Amino acid sequence: MPKDNYNADTIEVLKGLDPVRKRPGMYIGSTDARGLHYLIWEIVDNSIDEALAGYGKEIKVELNTDGSVTVSDNGRGVPVGINHETGKNSLEVIYSMLHAGGKFGQAGGYKVSGGLHGVGGKVVNALSTYMKVTSMRDGHIYEIEFKNGGQKVHDVIDKGETRKTGTVVTFKPDPKIFSTVIFNYDTIKERLKEGAYLIKGLKMSLVDHNSNKKDEFEFEDGIKEYVSDMVKNKELMSDVTYFEGTEGPIDVEVSMAYTQGFDETLISFANNLRTRDGGSHEVGYKTAITKAFNDFARKFNLISTKDANLEGNDLRCGLVGIVSVRVEESVLEFEGQTKGRLGTPLAKSAVEDVLYEKLTDYLHANKALAEAVVEKAQKNAKAREAARKARNMIRLDKKDKKELNLSSKLSPAQGKNKDINELFLVEGDSAGGSAKSGRDRSYQAILPLRGKVLNTEKATEESALQNQEIATMIYTIGADYGDKFDVKKSNYKKIIIMTDADDDGAHIQILLLTFFFRYMRPLIEDGRVYIAVPPLFRVTNKGGKNNFMKYAYSTEELANILKKLNKDNVLISRFKGLGEMSAEQLWETTMNPETRTLIQVKLEDFDEAEGEVDLFMGDDAERRRNWLENHVQFSLEDEYEIDKLDLTQGEE
Ligand code: 0RA
């Protein structure tokens, strides 16, 4: 007898949707933009479940002009018969009645996506001012409508005949519940794209009827295409591989590619939900890789019998991988505060066994790659040891630092307030001198940089740490570096790169940004890195009575200033470098928060940036500059208008 059958003892309590409206956070996590988008995920997940059960291969999301959202699929359609327990139409029960005790409402669907175990539709209804569900089944179109958080407008009606099957759900989020009811197109787009990667051959489309934007995703090769797209700008050591298999209640898919780089990327999913905190499937993936390569290396005597095994971290250097498992609901366990970690113990052995076997075959068929990865891991182990020694040097205490001359060039701020202090990285000793005397020493620190900054993409970690400038920056910022970097420990709220407005200055900016990107990325993510904008020109009058002085930050601005002045009488001087400015001028034009212009460095799309980080490695300065221009968003610190800089009309 199937165990899902209800027995006489099963307690069923049906109730309205009020509990959801009273405590929405319990059902959707939050009522901010995140919670708002959760509504779409819930409805889309239902359609995904239907597709995974083998019905329907197209899901469409539409953002309508009235603020509502429509999600349609071409599955079997939601059941519409009279439900025996309740005497009500199942369409009404499924979308508007919560239940407590026993099992209910799961009409035998093969439920694998994360979701809320079939309560998703009801929750969305509860938090909407309007909802309409259309089910196309058995040659008919059935429809039910709700308003005000799940109050039935009318019973299920038969709207006529159709040859299609599928489900269409339209809902309009309740502005009394959500702090915002504005959807973000790109957020939805990324989520649908991810879903399309995870389910081979499923077409996901998105249309915004307000902006007429449209996107459509369909990937015949699933996660293999996901990895291909992630590495499309990288130099590869291997092909993009794809392995799949099933063990017990768990389906396993893995795609991986070795890049020439050193970073490891692993993205994992369980039942199509991103598992940001990893879990048993990731452990299985790592174990399989370590075992497969070590066995290979031993078998072909690539490591001598007396040497220890290669470490997993070293073997995964440069590896980009995606693990996707589908776990039968009876053994599905998510863990952690945000349920972002897969618990299911069987997932470890399933991924480990499937991947070990297939990867071993692959390595034997691709010996050159296997040898190259082993060699890279061996080199890496050596570099790691060297880096460990160098790291110890960085963590010396203050007395040792003095002896090593690490902090001697820093002019520290007097105050110690991490929430306001600013660190200026200044090109050249002479500008450093002006900056040092011009600054507000209570919260501004100056670190002059001598000569060209080391290119940290071409240097090993060990040699980077031996570089005075790099070591001093790490020590001064005081929040460690690499995966140990902790932005909360940063001694500075703002790190301001101040260079001359010429090619050399631009190059130094790029090298510094490269360093922050590679060694202290959260500093950029947290919006703490800035570029100072010094003026290009100073305009004064020649010995006239009404002394004036204006600064121009661009040639256009200079032209504007000149237009307003009596041209005969003016003297234009071009600042060739920061060093030409006096301490007062530097303060007034470039350092004083009241009058300066800062550009905040932002990396908007980190997944994309990740895929292109190798750019920094090579010699291709042109490509690197283009990349920076395209991906690093330069935005002004405040809504600061350059016109406000008309502070002049004063004496010099
Ligand atoms: C329960 C049972 C069946 C289908 C569905 C639910 C279903 C739900 C949704 C929600 C969005 N799209 C959907 N498509 C299907 C199967 C009923 C049968 O045996 O035909």
Side-chain angles (χ1 to χ4, degrees):
M1 193 191 199
K3 62 178 185 252
D4 274 7
N5 261 14
Y6 308 116
N7 60 50
D9 299 333
T10 308
I11 305 156
E12 305 289 354
V13 183
L14 283 169
K15 46 187 177 180
L17 297 174
D18 271 357
V20 183
R21 289 182 69 81
K22 283 211 185 85
R23 308 185 64 182
M26 259 187 55
Y27 294 85
I28 56 164
S30 66
T31 53
D32 53 10
R34 199 189 160 101
L36 178 77
H37 287 80
Y38 203 87
L39 302 182
I40 300 187
W41 316 151
E42 279 304 325
I43 300 298
V44 169
D45 277 354
N46 288 336
S47 295
I48 287 180
D49 284 345
E50 183 67 359
L52 283 171
Y55 303 94
K57 53 196 303 285
E58 195 170 344
I59 299 171
K60 183 175 183 185
V61 176
E62 292 166 88
L63 302 178
N64 304 315
T65 51
D66 66 354
S68 67
V69 182
T70 300
V71 177
S72 33
D73 66 52
N74 56 0
R76 289 167 294 182
V78 180
V80 287
I82 294 300
N83 177 285
H84 295 300
E85 317 263 326
T86 57
K88 291 175 187 291
N89 194 297
S90 53
L91 197 53
E92 177 182 349
V93 178
I94 288 173
Y95 283 91
S96 69
M97 301 177 99
L98 286 183
H99 56 280
K103 271 178 169 258
F104 193 80
Q106 305 269 87
Y110 171 47
K111 172 93 187 165
V112 284
S113 90
L116 286 170
H117 304 270
V119 301
K122 308 168 211 276
V123 169
V124 174
N125 194 7
L127 305 177
S128 297
T129 56
Y130 172 75
M131 185 184 239
K132 175 163 94 180
V133 183
T134 307
S135 173
M136 292 172 284
R137 280 177 75 92
D138 312 325
H140 285 257
I141 305 168
Y142 301 98
E143 183 187 290
I144 188 166
E145 285 177 287
F146 305 92
K147 63 175 185 188
N148 301 333
Q151 291 170 22
K152 191 165 63 173
V153 176
H154 58 71
D155 278 320
V156 173
I157 45 180
D158 185 341
K159 303 274 285 184
E161 297 193 356
T162 181
R163 285 158 64 184
K164 288 194 248 179
T165 64
T167 305
V168 184
V169 177
T170 297
F171 64 93
K172 191 173 177 189
D174 190 339
K176 292 194 294 297
I177 301 276
F178 293 96
S179 57
T180 172
V181 288
I182 300 183
F183 288 104
N184 182 312
Y185 184 89
D186 290 328
T187 303
I188 302 166
K189 174 178 152 184
E190 286 314 311
R191 176 81 176 218
L192 295 182
K193 186 173 182 187
E194 189 177 278
Y197 275 128
L198 287 170
I199 303 164
K200 285 179 202 151
L202 176 64
K203 188 196 276 184
M204 296 278 223
S205 56
L206 172 61
V207 180
D208 183 350
H209 293 293
N210 303 282
S211 64
N212 290 322
K213 270 193 272 193
K214 268 191 180 82
D215 278 283
E216 199 174 280
F217 304 105
E218 184 179 355
F219 302 106
E220 283 306 329
D221 287 329
I223 60 168
K224 185 176 183 203
E225 278 183 80
Y226 201 161
V227 171
S228 299
D229 287 348
M230 283 168 66
V231 301
K232 67 173 184 280
N233 291 307
K234 299 193 177 205
E235 287 193 50
L236 293 183
M237 293 171 71
S238 73
D239 296 333
V240 179
T241 60
Y242 175 80
F243 309 111
E244 66 181 326
T246 299
E247 193 173 281
I250 295 164
D251 292 341
V252 178
E253 285 183 274
V254 177
S255 178
M256 36 198 274
Y258 271 99
T259 69
Q260 304 275 11
F262 294 92
D263 290 340
E264 182 198 355
T265 308
L266 170 57
I267 301 181
S268 68
F269 299 87
N271 293 6
N272 305 313
L273 287 177
R274 177 90 175 251
T275 34
R276 283 179 197 280
D277 306 319
S280 49
H281 52 344
E282 288 198 3
V283 177
Y285 165 87
K286 290 177 180 174
T287 310
I289 291 168
T290 308
K291 221 163 80 171
F293 277 105
N294 272 297
D295 287 358
F296 180 92
R298 296 266 176 222
K299 181 167 179 186
F300 293 98
N301 294 317
L302 302 175
I303 34 181
S304 68
T305 35
K306 63 181 186 340
D307 280 350
N309 268 357
L310 297 164
E311 280 189 27
N313 286 331
D314 294 328
L315 286 163
R316 296 193 310 277
C317 251
L319 180 61
V320 175
I322 295 183
V323 178
S324 172
V325 292
R326 301 242 164 81
V327 180
E328 251 176 39
E329 189 147 34
S330 56
V331 292
L332 182 60
E333 292 169 39
F334 286 105
E335 298 175 337
Q337 279 235 308
T338 53
K339 303 283 172 214
R341 187 171 65 241
L342 180 65
T344 313
L346 282 174
K348 174 184 181 285
S349 47
V351 177
E352 184 180 329
D353 295 348
V354 168
L355 183 57
Y356 175 77
E357 187 194 322
K358 306 256 154 117
L359 181 59
T360 298
D361 290 349
Y362 181 82
L363 296 183
H364 283 85
N366 295 271
K367 287 212 173 67
L369 168 76
E371 283 162 11
V373 171
V374 167
E375 193 182 321
K376 188 174 174 182
Q378 284 166 334
K379 276 196 190 146
N380 220 55
K382 283 201 191 109
R384 199 161 31 83
E385 180 54 19
R388 193 186 57 79
K389 285 187 190 143
R391 212 184 256 273
N392 284 344
M393 185 193 82
I394 293 285
R395 297 215 184 90
L396 297 172
D397 64 29
K398 278 220 163 74
K399 187 174 116 280
D400 296 327
K401 287 268 156 62
K402 276 231 166 72
E403 274 160 26
L404 276 166
N405 204 16
L406 269 186
S407 56
S408 59
K409 286 190 297 172
L410 175 79
S411 305
Q414 279 163 347
K416 292 279 167 261
N417 188 343
K418 294 173 183 228
D419 295 326
I420 59 165
N421 277 5
E422 299 180 344
L423 175 64
F424 282 83
L425 304 172
V426 186
E427 172 184 1
D429 277 336
S430 80
S434 300
K436 193 177 158 183
S437 26
R439 69 185 165 140
D440 182 337
R441 63 182 57 236
S442 69
Y443 69 98
Q444 292 181 324
I446 308 295
L447 180 63
L449 303 170
R450 219 176 264 134
K452 274 281 158 69
V453 175
L454 180 79
N455 183 347
T456 44
E457 283 301 336
K458 289 215 267 175
T460 61
E461 184 170 312
E462 186 189 14
S463 62
L465 295 175
Q466 276 160 7
N467 175 279
Q468 276 262 287
E469 257 87 13
I470 300 289
T472 310
M473 280 192 282
I474 295 173
Y475 170 59
T476 302
I477 291 167
D480 218 315
Y481 69 93
D483 51 16
K484 298 245 168 33
F485 182 77
D486 180 359
V487 72
K488 290 192 292 297
K489 291 205 184 119
S490 168
N491 287 325
Y492 302 95
K493 179 75 183 161
K494 291 183 176 157
I495 311 243
I496 300 167
I497 300 170
M498 190 158 78
T499 67
D500 293 342
D502 57 15
D503 278 356
D504 267 359
H507 195 201
I508 290 170
Q509 285 172 13
I510 286 174
L511 293 169
L512 284 170
L513 291 180
T514 302
F515 163 67
F516 289 125
F517 186 84
R518 188 137 170 79
Y519 285 81
M520 301 185 179
R521 201 171 304 176
L523 211 54
I524 304 181
E525 288 169 312
D526 203 44
R528 293 187 191 225
V529 181
Y530 295 84
I531 292 170
V533 184
L536 290 176
F537 305 98
R538 184 181 50 175
V539 186
T540 50
N541 62 338
K542 282 192 221 151
K545 276 179 274 167
N546 302 312
N547 283 337
F548 68 80
M549 178 176 69
K550 282 176 188 283
Y551 296 104
Y553 291 74
S554 65
T555 42
E556 297 88 69
E557 200 188 0
L558 176 66
N560 275 339
I561 292 172
L562 293 179
K563 238 187 270 169
K564 294 190 198 140
L565 296 173
N566 174 0
K567 283 190 203 74
D568 297 337
N569 231 6
V570 300
L571 182 69
I572 303 167
S573 35
R574 193 190 163 97
F575 290 113
K576 292 216 188 63
L578 299 167
E580 290 183 356
M581 274 186 264
S582 68
E584 293 73 29
Q585 286 171 343
L586 194 59
W587 162 254
E588 186 167 287
T589 60
T590 318
M591 297 176 74
N592 178 359
E594 301 290 318
T595 50
R596 74 189 176 192
T597 301
L598 292 187
I599 292 167
Q600 187 178 41
V601 179
K602 280 189 191 157
L603 277 172
E604 288 293 54
D605 185 343
F606 265 83
D607 282 342
E608 208 171 317
E610 186 61 55
E612 304 187 19
V613 75
D614 283 357
L615 266 182
F616 288 100
M617 290 244 199
D619 297 300
D620 195 341
E622 173 81 30
R623 248 184 101 205
R624 185 160 51 221
R625 197 166 306 135
N626 284 341
W627 184 91
L628 277 166
E629 271 168 22
N630 289 333
H631 285 85
V632 181
Q633 278 215 346
F634 295 110
S635 64
L636 295 183
E637 181 184 28
D638 311 303
E639 289 287 301
Y640 191 78
E641 286 168 40
I642 287 187
D643 275 356
K644 284 195 205 135
L645 271 175
D646 278 358
L647 30 107
T648 47
Q649 298 301 43
E651 46 289 19
E652 219 168 315

